Amino acid sequence: MSLLEVRSVSKQFGGLTAVDDVSFDVFEGAIKAVIGPNGAGKTTLFNILTAFDRPDEGRVSFDGTDIVGQPPQRIVRAGIARTFQNTQLFEEMSTHENVMAGAHAVTRAGFFGAALRLPWTVREEREVAEEARRLLRLVGLEEWADTPAADLPHGLRRLLEIARALATRPRLLLLDEPAAGLNTAETASLADALYRIRDRGTTILIVEHDMGLVMEVSDEIVVLDRGAKIAEGPPRLIQKDPAVIAAYLGEEDLDEL
Amino acid sequence: MGGTELLQFVLAGLKNGSIYALVALGFTLIYAATGVINFAQGEFYMLGGMLSVWAYADLGLPLPLAGLVGVAATAAVGGVFELGAIRQRKDGDPLALIVITVGGSMVLSSMARHLFGPNERPLPLFSGGGSVSVFGAVLEVQTIWILGLTALAVVGLWYLYNRTGLGRAMRACAVNRDAARIVGIDTRLMVTVSFLLAAALGALAGLAVTPLTQTAFDVGPTVGIKGFAAAILGGLGNPIAAVVGGLVLGMLESVSIAFISSTYKDAIALIVLLAVLFMRPQGILGRSSREKV
Amino acid sequence: MGERTIDIRTVAVLALVGALVFAVPLLTADRYLLKVLTFVGINVIIITGMALLFGYAGQVSLGHAAFYGIGAYTSAYVVTSLGWPWLGGVALAVAVTSVGGLLLALPSLRLKGHYLAMATLGFGEIMRVVFVEARGITGGPDGFSGIPFASVGGLAIDSAGANYWLIWGVAAAMLALAANLVRSRAGRAMRALHGSELGALACGIDLTGLKVRVFVISAALAGLAGALYAHVVGFISPSTFSLHASVVLVAMAVLGGTRSLAGPVLAAALLTLIPFADAVIPGLSRSALETIQEWQEDIYGLTIIAVLLFVPGGVAGALRRLSRVGRRWG
Ligand SMILES: Nc1ncnc2c1ncn2[C@@H]1O[C@H](COP(=O)(O)OP(=O)(O)OP(=O)(O)O)[C@@H](O)[C@H]1O
Ligand SMILES: [Mg+2]
């Protein structure tokens, strides 16, 4: 079943068309990748899907409901979570607290309940803490639970952001270049984590420049170039697609294709 | 109400409005250069009057020279405040800078009290106490001075902005600080210059009004808030809008005294301020660009 | 809460400080000292809200003295002129300031940037004009006098000691609630918002809603403090609720430091005591006190500037360093 439907989405910045009439579907349970040269509009597309930006035209529906124009917190509640190309961690909070903050949208304790420490809020808090530990284990960060995010080794910061996104209990997880800055070993364990996340029932849409990773994990790939979709299909076909190869000509990524 | 009476209110509105305009220009210059609301702007107005009084009465300088000293000394205070406080906050966090200007305002007015005492201090009229009749309405000569000096300041600022390299550099900073830095403009210097100018403009307003109202260490905040309301009303960051905002606000106050009551006169500017903030935060002349949270 | 259990030493320190604060009326009969310390307690109530607003939600208000004043006049009027019970007056004061806070915060916090600072400044000045001009209710510039002491069920709280306990009891309760709050989901959201707005949005945190709630709480606490103040002193006038008073509150919050309650509370105590230095420093000469009072504005202003330029952690930062040292020794 199609979990996410993107239909004719366009976005302009001044005279520049960052996303140009893009349509595709993401099916439940899949790992789908969005690739394209620098400036192709991948991050802009993600911003539109998560309501950080509004499309000028087009429709996005998630699980059958139109989500354009809703505030970001609604989108998160609806079940779409994301990470950022430039990690947006809460640097002064511990790794564990970062993930607990991710559970904000799926918990309910309000100001009154919390101020009075009503029993159910205390219980909810304990459950969130446990859930956060489980998620840290899932991405392999359990040893770092009490470390402030600012002190986390660079390669682990993206994993923390993924754990935090998972704490929102998403049905669809959007990852913007999760392998950027990771070494080979870290990328391999990222791939493992992606499979584990998918196997828990979370659909994944991933933007990534590391072609090795993309070809390995994704079921399907959408290729953007200068805002427009130029190809879509399984990795094997994308690798041979002449339009894709032309788009990447002059890009260093060509070797990896 | 007769036409003459109405004209009298219009003249009063123009007089107050041009004071607000000068103070609003100060807000706008600093905002354009730094993105900061300088809550000490009213103190520059106070210092302009106070330091002129000091130069005239305590130093015994002739009035024109005393005025010059008052404005120049206030500008220097503005520059020192920027160098000593604003510039020292290395991360440029606007929120911290705004709060720093709030603290600065408190210190400046308190210093004025230490140095010049708690009492109101007078300054003579620039050219005697005469007045002229304009279609039956009375126009005091000092008001002509106020309008004239404001016009002069606006023209001078326009010239600076449009005809000099310094002005162009300042405008470039206002549009895009990073780009300005890349093309070799000393953006830090532009911030200092904008504080100097803002202080001088505020001081000019204070100097021009003091012969009519006297001055005291605590007159800053009230006028500061009105100038601020004017800047917001016109559209923060745009000098022309500041002048228009000042004049419109002066008129609004004047008209409301004429038709409503003078009891809440001081609240008019504030209600205008809140109304504009809530309904048209970019000001009457600003382009609609509500920033998304 | 969460994973950060409060360690035994913190509990011990809190208990000791609490016991000391509550023992003061037993240890001294100095009514002036008790009154001054009661003022400290009132400011602690306000600063609890300011600590949440400034230190946790990162918002600046330049108009909190107005809420303080609205609370004071509301309770003074309905209790003195309309014969309401004291508790009713205080409750109404809290309700009115909450609604006022909501009406001010909703439009200003929806916009980015520093509109709240500007809007609260304008609001504070409007209220100052209203306090002076609405003579029928406020008594105008001469103030409102003859406000009765607090009384609950016929029991009047009319001694300096009883008022001290009343105020500090309320202050302790508010601090406890605030301490729970900052350790909860809401407190985490506030710290998240401080860390990264984009990250907070991605966690589904409604930034505007959060800031508005915190602002309303801080306005209500100022209103509560104002109502209590009116009945403690019996006389209120507009000068207490001026822009200047708002700026002093900002000075307390800034000196206190961010993401802390203890820091702002200590800062509030310190800055409140400055003009009353003779109450806590025995044998302070008359002229020394006058000098201090003469320079108090400079002290407030320079405190703001110096803390923001050179000691961004404020008192809270110093406390954190102290507790780190303490842990190393313990
Ligand atoms: N807020 C903005 N204002 C103006 N232009 C923008 C904005 N955001 C993105 N752009 C432009 O839109 C185009 C697409 O940018 P986007 O960040 O979506 O690309 P991308 O595919 O994510 O690139 P990369 O691989 O480098 O991350 C670029 O040309 C970029 O400069
Ligand atoms: Mg990108």
Side-chain angles (χ1 to χ4, degrees), chain A residues 114-173:
Chain A
L116 297 172
R117 276 185 72 93
L118 299 180
W120 71 266
T121 66
V122 178
R123 199 173 332 119
E124 181 184 83
E125 189 75 4
R126 207 167 39 229
E127 284 162 10
V128 168
E130 278 163 25
E131 166 84 6
R133 288 211 174 277
R134 269 197 298 280
L135 290 171
L136 285 178
R137 216 169 300 133
L138 182 78
V139 297
L141 284 180
E142 64 271 43
E143 291 146 43
W144 301 88
D146 297 323
T147 312
D151 300 342
L152 212 55
H154 199 78
L156 302 181
R157 293 169 58 84
R158 293 185 182 277
L159 290 176
L160 174 55
E161 232 191 3
I162 293 175
R164 186 181 73 188
L166 286 173
T168 68
R169 298 198 200 135
R171 296 178 59 195
L172 175 65
L173 178 61

Side-chain angles (χ1 to χ4, degrees), chain B residues 28 31 228-242 245 272-291, chain C residues 111-112 115 118:
Chain B
T28 266
Y31 182 82
F228 171 56
I232 296 282
L233 175 61
L236 206 51
N238 171 353
I240 296 168
V272 167
L273 169 65
L274 287 189
V276 174
L277 276 181
F278 292 166
M279 292 183 302
R280 203 178 155 78
Q282 75 275 25
I284 44 180
L285 296 189
R287 259 170 291 119
S288 171
S289 66
R290 271 181 172 233
E291 267 186 281
Chain C
L111 301 160
K112 200 174 164 64
Y115 284 95
M118 309 181 209

Side-chain angles (χ1 to χ4, degrees), chain B residues 81-153:
Chain B
F81 180 58
E82 198 283 321
L83 291 174
I86 301 297
R87 184 176 284 220
Q88 301 307 321
R89 178 81 194 198
K90 296 288 188 276
D91 65 357
D93 172 17
L95 190 68
L97 291 179
I98 286 173
V99 180
I100 286 174
T101 67
V102 171
S105 163
M106 209 165 198
V107 174
L108 287 177
S109 74
S110 189
M111 285 295 175
R113 185 169 51 88
H114 295 314
L115 292 172
F116 308 115
N119 299 324
E120 300 210 318
R121 304 197 62 184
L123 200 64
L125 296 162
F126 288 0
S127 46
S131 62
V132 295
S133 170
V134 183
F135 300 114
V138 182
L139 179 61
E140 287 173 81
V141 173
Q142 187 66 29
T143 303
I144 300 179
W145 271 106
I146 294 176
L147 300 179
L149 285 174
T150 304
L152 200 66

Side-chain angles (χ1 to χ4, degrees), chain A residues 101-253:
Chain A
H104 187 89
V106 291
T107 44
R108 292 178 31 240
F111 274 60
F112 267 104
L116 297 172
R117 276 185 72 93
L118 299 180
W120 71 266
T121 66
V122 178
R123 199 173 332 119
E124 181 184 83
E125 189 75 4
R126 207 167 39 229
E127 284 162 10
V128 168
E130 278 163 25
E131 166 84 6
R133 288 211 174 277
R134 269 197 298 280
L135 290 171
L136 285 178
R137 216 169 300 133
L138 182 78
V139 297
L141 284 180
E142 64 271 43
E143 291 146 43
W144 301 88
D146 297 323
T147 312
D151 300 342
L152 212 55
H154 199 78
L156 302 181
R157 293 169 58 84
R158 293 185 182 277
L159 290 176
L160 174 55
E161 232 191 3
I162 293 175
R164 186 181 73 188
L166 286 173
T168 68
R169 298 198 200 135
R171 296 178 59 195
L172 175 65
L173 178 61
L174 308 187
L175 303 173
D176 199 348
E177 304 200 15
L182 300 195
N183 62 32
T184 337
E186 286 166 340
T187 304
S189 72
L190 172 69
D192 287 340
L194 294 185
Y195 288 130
R196 281 199 298 275
I197 291 162
R198 197 260 314 267
D199 294 342
R200 291 165 92 238
T202 306
T203 308
I204 297 175
L205 186 63
I206 176 175
V207 164
E208 189 45 69
H209 281 297
D210 182 331
M211 288 307 145
L213 179 68
V214 168
M215 295 303 159
E216 182 194 337
V217 300
S218 47
D219 303 310
E220 258 202 321
I221 300 176
V222 172
V223 188
L224 297 184
D225 184 29
R226 272 165 285 170
K229 181 173 99 173
I230 56 167
E232 182 175 8
R236 251 182 311 279
L237 295 183
I238 293 296
Q239 253 165 325
K240 301 197 189 85
D241 192 308
V244 176
I245 294 171
Y248 272 95
L249 267 181
E251 286 262 328
E252 313 152 77
D253 290 306

Side-chain angles (χ1 to χ4, degrees), chain C residues 199-270:
Chain C
L201 280 173
C203 292
I205 295 168
D206 171 7
L207 300 187
T208 308
L210 186 68
K211 290 176 192 167
V212 168
R213 282 189 185 85
V214 176
F215 188 83
V216 169
I217 288 178
S218 70
L221 283 171
L224 172 66
L228 294 171
Y229 169 79
H231 297 279
V232 165
V233 296
F235 167 77
I236 53 178
S237 70
S239 63
T240 313
F241 313 114
S242 60
L243 172 64
H244 175 263
S246 291
V247 176
V248 173
L249 291 174
V250 171
M252 291 174 184
V254 167
L255 175 61
T258 54
R259 267 143 293 158
S260 160
L261 292 173
V265 165
L266 281 178
L270 204 67

Side-chain angles (χ1 to χ4, degrees), chain C residues 61-102:
Chain C
S61 166
L62 295 174
H64 258 54
F67 292 111
Y68 185 45
I70 294 173
Y73 280 110
T74 302
S75 188
Y77 181 71
V78 298
V79 173
T80 315
S81 306
L82 305 183
W84 283 35
W86 170 77
L87 213 52
V90 174
L92 185 70
V94 171
V96 168
T97 46
S98 303
V99 173
L102 183 68

